[in-house]
Amino acid sequence: MCAAVALAAAAVCVVRPSAGRVFACIDVRVLSQLFCLMLTIQAFRSIHVLDALAAGVLGLCSSVRVLFFALVGLVFFVSMAVTNDVALLTFVPFTLIICRKAGSGSVTGGVTPRMTAVLVVLETLAANLGSCITPMGNPQNLFLYSFYNMPSAAFFTATLRIGIPSLLMLCAAVLYETRNAGKIEVRLGKAYVDSFVKCFVYAAVLTGNLLAVFRVIDYRIALAVTVIAAAVCNARLFLHVDYSLLLTFVGFFIFTGTVSDIPAVSGFLKDVLKKPFSVYAAGILTSQVISNVPAALLLSGFTRNARALLLGVNVGGLGTLIASLASVISYKLFKAEGGDMRGTGYFRIFTVYNFVFLILLAGIVWASEYYL
């Protein structure tokens, strides 16, 4: 957020655009949709819908392998609807509790701290990869889908090139990591939805938001309905929206829009990002340094290769810890466990898995663009 605001301020000072031009750079539609989705997801979290879902699924787990498949699968598919960061904020703390209850000791007798680290890393991969499939799965997808006015069919044919192979890779990783695992018994208390009336209201609001994302209804209608519903049902929800992310978007909107008015800079970047592969590579490499959301905002102002950029910034969410801010979230949640999780090699496990997935998936996705 600080970087985005600083870049925006510097660009305004150098270019000196009019106030009208500055406001024209801001994509109000994207900001509105992002705000509505964040508010709605916080609403579902407040009545423990995801907790109830997780508890119900995990009650069926009888072995370490089934536990791994259940949790990684839940994060992968849930992140498509509730975004990658929310999926991790919900399921990583839950995972740490489950693994602690499953007990430590030998690999065949329980879930060791190292296996817990592996599981959280795989959940992080699942969140970043599952969320890339839908427009509302992560902020960069929502922005690119709206910014380029992408047809839904074109969007999904692109993102499924990431989603299908990544799901198979995750399954292979789970099978490998649980090859010597045995049976466990996880005892969890029952989790219940706090209010089925609110759940129904929030489900209706979410449906309206999704219709707005897919351009079936006007985004302003969805915004009004969402704000009214949140104010009536639980006004405290407004306190839990990630306003720093919204301000980050505003900063990069102003920066890219203003810088694009400089002919020399705009011409150079547009020339560099002329070919699809250069856009794809730039999306991956830029994400490693500034994370994939700012990378999407920055590069979109200088290329019309929407498909290549969409693929690049989503694959680019793998790799370094900061390539996706969702990865930072799971890392911080794991570190918060303190002494119980020391010596697990979390960062080493994270780095190895992320770069292996990045290298393999980057090649698979780009090859599929030519042969499928």
Side-chain angles (χ1 to χ4, degrees), residues 247-286:
L247 192 54
T248 300
F249 267 72
V250 171
F252 273 105
F253 281 145
I254 295 173
F255 171 72
T256 56
T258 305
V259 169
S260 66
D261 290 338
I262 304 175
V265 175
S266 178
F268 171 75
L269 290 174
K270 287 180 179 178
D271 188 59
V272 171
L273 299 174
K274 187 175 294 183
K275 296 182 178 180
F277 181 76
S278 63
V279 176
Y280 179 69
I284 293 175
L285 295 174
T286 306

Side-chain angles (χ1 to χ4, degrees), residues 25-263:
C25 293
I26 301 172
D27 193 330
V28 178
R29 175 191 175 92
V30 170
L31 292 176
S32 171
Q33 291 176 340
L34 188 58
F35 172 78
C36 288
L37 287 172
M38 288 193 293
L39 191 62
T40 307
I41 296 309
Q42 289 298 328
F44 278 114
R45 290 190 70 199
S46 70
I47 57 174
H48 304 109
V49 170
L50 294 179
D51 291 343
L53 170 65
V57 172
L58 295 172
L60 305 175
C61 295
S62 59
S63 69
V64 173
R65 174 166 287 178
V66 174
L67 176 68
F68 268 55
F69 270 116
L71 286 169
V72 173
L74 269 174
V75 173
F76 184 86
F77 290 105
V78 169
S79 66
M80 297 181 193
V82 302
T83 74
N84 49 359
D85 54 348
V86 172
L88 291 172
L89 282 167
T90 301
F91 288 109
V92 169
F94 207 63
T95 297
L96 295 172
I97 294 172
I98 292 167
C99 291
R100 198 179 302 117
K101 286 180 177 292
S104 60
S106 66
V107 175
T108 57
V111 181
T112 65
R114 183 196 171 278
M115 290 196 73
T116 303
V118 170
L119 179 53
V120 173
V121 168
L122 293 179
E123 285 179 336
T124 304
L125 286 168
N128 286 326
L129 294 168
S131 65
C132 78
I133 296 175
T134 62
M136 57 281 184
N138 54 50
Q140 73 268 15
N141 276 11
L142 183 62
F143 165 68
L144 293 173
Y145 181 77
S146 177
F147 181 79
Y148 289 109
N149 199 28
M150 296 181 70
S152 298
F155 180 91
F156 285 110
T157 56
T159 57
L160 285 174
R161 294 178 188 273
I162 301 174
I164 294 173
S166 64
L167 182 58
L168 296 175
M169 290 165 65
L170 284 167
C171 290
V174 169
L175 289 172
Y176 173 76
E177 290 292 348
T178 59
R179 62 194 182 280
N180 297 318
K183 294 187 177 297
I184 57 170
E185 184 178 355
V186 181
R187 294 185 177 87
L188 292 172
K190 294 289 184 180
Y192 299 98
V193 176
D194 287 354
S195 171
F196 284 101
V197 174
K198 288 184 178 180
C199 185
F200 176 80
V201 172
Y202 297 153
V205 170
L206 178 60
T207 300
N209 288 329
L210 296 181
L211 291 174
V213 168
F214 289 106
R215 310 182 190 102
V216 177
I217 65 174
D218 192 286
Y219 75 91
R220 286 164 290 196
I221 296 175
L223 175 63
V225 171
T226 303
V227 170
I228 293 171
V232 172
C233 294
N234 184 0
R236 293 180 62 84
L237 294 173
F238 291 100
L239 301 176
H240 300 288
V241 173
D242 188 354
Y243 295 105
S244 65
L245 179 60
L246 296 175
L247 192 54
T248 300
F249 267 72
V250 171
F252 273 105
F253 281 145
I254 295 173
F255 171 72
T256 56
T258 305
V259 169
S260 66
D261 290 338
I262 304 175

